[in-house]
Amino acid sequence: MRELRNAVQRAHVMADHRTIDDRWLPRDIPGAPPVSDSDAAVVTLPIGIPLAQAERQLILATLAHFRNHKERTAAALGISLKTLYNRLKEYEETAPQPVLAEPPAAG
């Protein structure tokens, strides 16, 4: 029952209109028609990339794909909205800070 509720919630969040079509429904339902991935964006990661970096790139690319719509991003990634917010906060904290040039000495 929980899986059904999660699937319906995800489909509701992801659908652009009032109608939920099959592209937002789970793909691993026995007997369900196959869903085409022809419109899916692709993220390419090098072999050997640290898992944390791969996760970061995937989350940020998915967020950009959904134009910063966090609910859709979390639903597409299969994570909670809270987890997405936590990851984004972590990425902000670990982002390199720009070095400000010191003003010339007066004199």
Side-chain angles (χ1 to χ4, degrees):
M1 188 62 143
R2 184 177 64 201
E3 290 179 39
L4 176 60
R5 182 176 53 242
N6 290 342
V8 171
Q9 286 176 339
R10 179 181 186 275
H12 171 72
V13 168
M14 298 301 288
D16 292 328
H17 308 291
R18 292 179 177 246
T19 304
I20 297 173
D21 59 30
D22 62 348
R23 70 182 169 158
W24 302 121
L25 297 176
R27 298 173 185 205
D28 56 352
I29 299 173
V35 179
S36 171
D37 283 337
S38 61
D39 295 333
V42 176
V43 174
T44 304
L45 301 170
I47 292 179
I49 187 173
L51 190 56
Q53 286 181 5
E55 178 185 80
R56 179 183 180 139
Q57 287 183 23
L58 184 59
I59 288 174
L60 295 177
T62 305
L63 184 64
H65 175 77
F66 288 110
R67 296 182 177 98
N68 291 325
H69 192 289
K70 291 175 179 67
E71 287 181 339
R72 287 186 176 184
T73 300
L77 293 169
I79 61 175
S80 71
L81 194 55
K82 179 177 169 112
T83 297
L84 178 62
Y85 275 107
N86 287 341
R87 292 296 190 279
L88 294 175
K89 182 178 178 183
E90 179 183 311
Y91 300 157
E92 286 178 10
E93 292 172 356
T94 60
Q97 300 299 318
V99 178
L100 302 176
E102 292 186 27

